Amino acid sequence: MVKEKPNVCEACGKDGATLKCPCDEVFYCNGECQRATWGQHRRECTVDMKKKLDKDRKRYGPDDPILAGPTYSLGILFLKQDRPAQSEEVLLEAIRLAEVNNGEDQNVAAALSTLGRAYAEQAKFADAIDVNKRAVRIVRRVYPREDHDRVADALLNLASAYHADYQCESSIETYEEALKVLRKIYGNDHDAVATVLSDMSIVMHDQGLHVEALEIEEKALDINRRVGGPDDETVAIALLNLGCSYEQNGIFEEALARLGEGLGICRRVHPPGRNSMEGRFLSVIGDVYCKQGKIEDGIDMYKKAHKIYKKTLGPESGLAGDTMNNMGGALHKLGKYEEAMDRFEEGLAIYRRSFGNGHTEVGAALYNIAVCKEGMGDPDGALQCVRESNDIFVKRGEEGRRMAVDVAEMLA
């Protein structure tokens, strides 16, 4: 699925630009604006890169090793632009070229891991697991001592692929393997170790092992404090994650304590109101307040977070859409259905423009609107929204299966 881009000129920033680059990624007011930034954009223009590759194929032949690197770069670019199907096609060709000329080496392993991401974004989770397993086998053969960061990276990619397919036990086992490698390389006190512990805690929460997961997150936080110092940004991020976990498990006072500490670090490290992380803290604090029944306080936090997102990320960011939906949910709890509907629809519009009509965020927003319409006595409107939501989750496959359960229940 390709993101729908807002018609903002890449050069001057004006809205309503009508000239679109053939790559579909950027707009311009006119040819003058396009020429002004072409030197920069051409490095990320998939159409221009494909033209160069076609010329090189004719010049060197279809199997020349010189093509492998540019082909791989094009595959990565497609993936960054949320075009996983095109990325898959190009990466398979990059892997073929690398294997023809060098066999299964570390470059093939890297391309396989990237291909795994392309598969995962298309909900092809079994394929993602298979290519990541192959990448692990290759790097272990290339680096047999297993104390190399590429072995750890390959294991982490495989662990993530298992988690995406909800194979939580396999994911945890693979994360533990990666953790052993990283500890051999860096020791116990390293930010890479803390990151893996945080990732493992997410899987544990999905397994329902909340107490164990919180203990792991506290360990990650302690490592971040020792490595970076009390005011390091990694400490703030760890506190944000920990605060989210406490909030999701209903441990609200601990959540507010961690979030308050992290917010203080964020404001000391960055000018207040000028970093999106501050918005994340305020938004989660708003979630806690709403769950405590302090709905008006929660809405106030959401408004402050939204203001920061607009300033730092722009009005079309996904996080700006999230705060609109959060406000809609809070207003719905207060029985202010019309105000809630306005916020839900604003959030939905942001998601459609930023992510495209087939994204799971759009499906979730439509479900929220359906619930609101039902509360307003509009069952036909609710049914229309929930059907569109259901279509999205069906097409997205496993990626949306948790939310799809709620949608299916509402359809029933």
Side-chain angles (χ1 to χ4, degrees), residues 1-20:
M1 180 197 66
V2 180
K3 285 184 181 179
E4 296 177 1
K5 301 293 178 179
N7 294 22
V8 176
C9 179
E10 183 77 1
C12 68
K14 291 182 180 178
D15 290 329
T18 57
L19 179 62
K20 182 165 66 172

Side-chain angles (χ1 to χ4, degrees), residues 69-98:
T71 303
Y72 179 50
S73 296
L74 180 59
I76 291 175
L77 189 55
F78 273 131
L79 194 57
K80 287 180 179 178
Q81 294 176 357
D82 295 294
R83 302 181 182 191
Q86 293 97 319
S87 177
E88 175 189 342
E89 180 182 356
V90 173
L91 288 168
L92 285 168
E93 173 62 10
I95 292 166
R96 185 193 71 81
L97 287 166

